[in-house]
Amino acid sequence: MTTRPAPRRTRLPRWAGAGAAVLLVLGAATACSSSADGDEAGAAGSGSAPGEPSGTVTVFAAASLTESFTTLGERFEEAHPGTEVTFSFGGSDSLAAGITGGAPADVFASASPGTMKIVTDAGDAAGAPAAFARNRLEIATPPGNPEDISSLKDLTGPDLKVVLCDEKVPCGAAARTALDAAGLELTPVSYEQDVRSALTKVRLKEADAALVYRTDVRAAGDKVEGVDFPEAAEAVNDYPITLLENAPNAVAAEAFIAYVRSGEGQRVLADAGFLTP
């Protein structure tokens, strides 16, 4: 019996009560541990020279990295035949909670140093994380910007339905920083657990605006419109990446991290709207 990772390119369910999901993952791993260990060892070693990446790499990555990391995973597999990169995308805080709770993964890419610190403080990072990208906020509106929003202050209008990320996740913390820089307070209609959920509210026209990353606005294409604002410069997030301490496939994980930080990786990230670290 071969244990397979989470479905390719799909989001890991949020750890609402991180322990429950982690127990499910660990229970499945325990149920067939002896078989899986043998299979994984064979996958890591068959047909490859020592030190060459092979087998499956499991990457936990912030939701805002979905498109760019999916592209990088595909190109990494092409460059290293015999490898497979699987992703769990979600809120950085939920992913960090899963890692510290024991969910098996090789790489963690966070949307902020603060959420990465959860993992490093728990001793679950192998070495010091490295910044590989930066991101800044934009106001997302429905196409055509029907409420004629042109500034952060416009979001405080009494009849405007605005969505923010929860302040525990990086996009929410960045929004709080930007609002503080502008000296503004607003009451959103909802707080979302990751940036993609906030953007979806605008795409479905359940909200008039949301504070999200400009990379998410770009990825949404013509389904939303982006409005830049000067206070975004006060809330730029660094994105760190690290090899995890108990990575099942450390050799391939290190190769994937190197690829993300390579010239090719940086070009893919720049095309998605990320800033250089």
Side-chain angles (χ1 to χ4, degrees):
M1 173 178 177
T2 302
T3 300
R4 298 293 298 170
R8 185 176 176 77
R9 318 292 185 218
T10 57
R11 283 180 53 174
L12 190 73
R14 298 186 189 99
W15 284 275
V22 170
L23 286 174
L24 287 174
V25 173
L26 295 179
T30 302
C32 49
S33 59
S34 59
S35 173
D37 289 345
D39 290 344
E40 287 171 4
S46 61
S48 299
E52 286 294 317
S54 63
T56 299
V57 185
T58 301
V59 180
F60 280 23
S64 49
L65 292 165
T66 301
E67 285 79 16
S68 55
F69 263 38
T70 298
T71 297
L72 287 173
E74 291 169 351
R75 295 189 183 182
F76 179 82
E77 291 170 353
E78 292 173 0
H80 300 284
T83 61
E84 180 180 3
V85 187
T86 64
F87 295 101
S88 289
F89 295 108
S92 294
D93 64 325
S94 295
L95 296 173
I99 291 166
T100 58
D106 297 293
V107 175
F108 179 40
S110 172
S112 77
T115 46
M116 178 60 75
K117 191 172 184 293
I118 297 170
V119 172
T120 57
D121 283 354
D124 289 321
F132 66 94
R134 307 182 85 203
N135 212 348
R136 62 185 290 168
L137 297 175
E138 274 191 357
I139 300 167
T141 75
N145 192 2
E147 298 297 328
D148 197 26
I149 295 166
S150 62
S151 69
L152 200 58
K153 185 176 181 180
D154 288 343
L155 299 184
T156 62
D159 299 323
L160 208 65
K161 293 183 290 184
V162 179
V163 172
L164 299 177
C165 296
D166 190 288
E167 290 185 17
K168 294 180 181 178
V169 300
C171 64
R176 179 73 268 162
T177 299
L179 289 166
D180 287 347
L184 297 173
E185 288 290 339
L186 65 84
T187 302
V189 294
S190 70
Y191 287 102
E192 300 300 320
Q193 294 305 306
D194 62 60
V195 69
R196 289 307 173 89
S197 298
L199 189 67
T200 296
K201 293 282 188 179
V202 176
R203 291 177 60 177
L204 297 177
K205 299 185 179 178
E206 295 175 2
D208 300 311
L211 279 175
V212 299
Y213 296 122
R214 70 174 188 170
T215 53
D216 295 286
V217 172
R218 182 176 295 194
D222 60 3
K223 295 185 173 82
V224 299
E225 189 165 318
V227 178
D228 200 6
F229 58 96
E231 295 85 359
E234 305 295 326
V236 177
N237 277 7
D238 289 325
Y239 280 51
I241 191 168
T242 190
L243 172 71
L244 294 173
E245 180 65 28
N246 296 314
N249 192 350
V251 170
E254 288 179 334
F256 179 76
I257 292 170
Y259 189 73
V260 169
R261 300 182 66 200
S262 70
E264 175 66 16
Q266 291 298 297
R267 282 189 289 273
V268 170
L269 289 162
D271 288 345
F274 286 95
L275 305 170
T276 56

